[in-house]
Amino acid sequence: MYHGTWRLLALRVGARGYGLRERSEQAVAVAVLGAYLSVFVAGIDFPGRGAFVAVSCTVALLVRWWRMQRRERLAERLVPPGPPLPLRVAARQVGWAYLSAVAVCFAGGAVLCATTFLSVGQSTGKHWYSPPLEVTLQTMALAVGAGATALVLGKALRSPVIAEDEASRLVDGVLRAEDVHRYTSCAVYAFFAVPVLMMDWQPSAPLEWTAWTYVAVVAALELTGRLLVHRRHRRLPPGFYGR
């Protein structure tokens, strides 16, 4: 690969933070702050705690994705981008396992939210707010996650090809697949944004088992997608890709 290709790959790979040293002190500080806040709010009675976690995760991932996109626009100016891939080809690069996780997560989550809303009563006597309010907040968090996932996934499926040769074209395909895993998390939405598992109430046994099965299926599909993406690195040409 000649110098221009290396510069292009360095720009795109570096935008995603590959190959950088881990900032362990920041991770420890975030963990300590999170533990402190969880203890602080434990005695506060407010609805939608799971929704708050899901939305916070969504915002953090979108901020990282938006910063990466600024570097992608620089790469597009460095190399004239080609036309977007056909939808089926782009979907195969992203991975059918991940796309299945997205479909199960948000379609199944919507069904569980609707079922929970119809199952809960108006008041349980444990809180100052009614259960339908909490279900509504959890459903809104799931909708926020769906919107964020659609934004990242749509960009991965319809963005132009940024490549100068066959090597950078292969890297382009791998980055598409990795981006959806790095900047969206279906498993987080499945667990924290679905009210069956986050509310302080006792659902029916079939509904609870259905919810746990739903979370397990989404997590298994997403994990499978991640493992398949990592296998693609073995087919890349020799070089340093931050691994």
Side-chain angles (χ1 to χ4, degrees), residues 180-195:
V180 294
H181 290 287
R182 287 176 65 86
Y183 304 112
T184 62
S185 180
C186 293
V188 170
Y189 303 138
F191 184 78
F192 287 104
V194 174

Side-chain angles (χ1 to χ4, degrees), residues 135-230:
V135 176
T136 301
L137 292 175
Q138 297 292 135
T139 305
M140 291 174 62
L142 186 67
V144 170
T149 301
L151 182 64
V152 176
L153 183 58
K155 182 67 176 178
L157 292 176
R158 302 308 302 156
S159 61
V161 176
I162 306 175
E164 291 183 310
D165 54 16
E166 186 60 28
S168 55
R169 185 176 295 274
L170 288 172
V171 173
D172 181 87
V174 172
L175 292 181
R176 290 173 190 267
E178 289 207 344
D179 282 351
V180 294
H181 290 287
R182 287 176 65 86
Y183 304 112
T184 62
S185 180
C186 293
V188 170
Y189 303 138
F191 184 78
F192 287 104
V194 174
V196 181
L197 304 176
M198 290 291 108
M199 292 176 59
D200 186 15
W201 70 302
Q202 183 59 49
S204 63
L207 182 58
E208 186 173 11
W209 278 106
T210 300
W212 282 114
T213 302
Y214 154 81
V215 172
V217 170
V218 173
L221 287 172
E222 186 171 354
L223 178 61
T224 300
R226 286 179 182 271
L227 294 176
L228 292 176
V229 168
H230 285 306

Side-chain angles (χ1 to χ4, degrees), residues 100-147:
S100 299
V102 171
V104 173
C105 176
F106 296 111
V111 172
L112 285 172
C113 287
T115 304
T116 307
F117 191 86
L118 296 175
S119 301
V120 298
Q122 287 298 315
S123 177
T124 61
K126 297 180 180 179
H127 306 285
W128 59 268
Y129 52 86
S130 64
L133 173 61
E134 185 159 16
V135 176
T136 301
L137 292 175
Q138 297 292 135
T139 305
M140 291 174 62
L142 186 67
V144 170

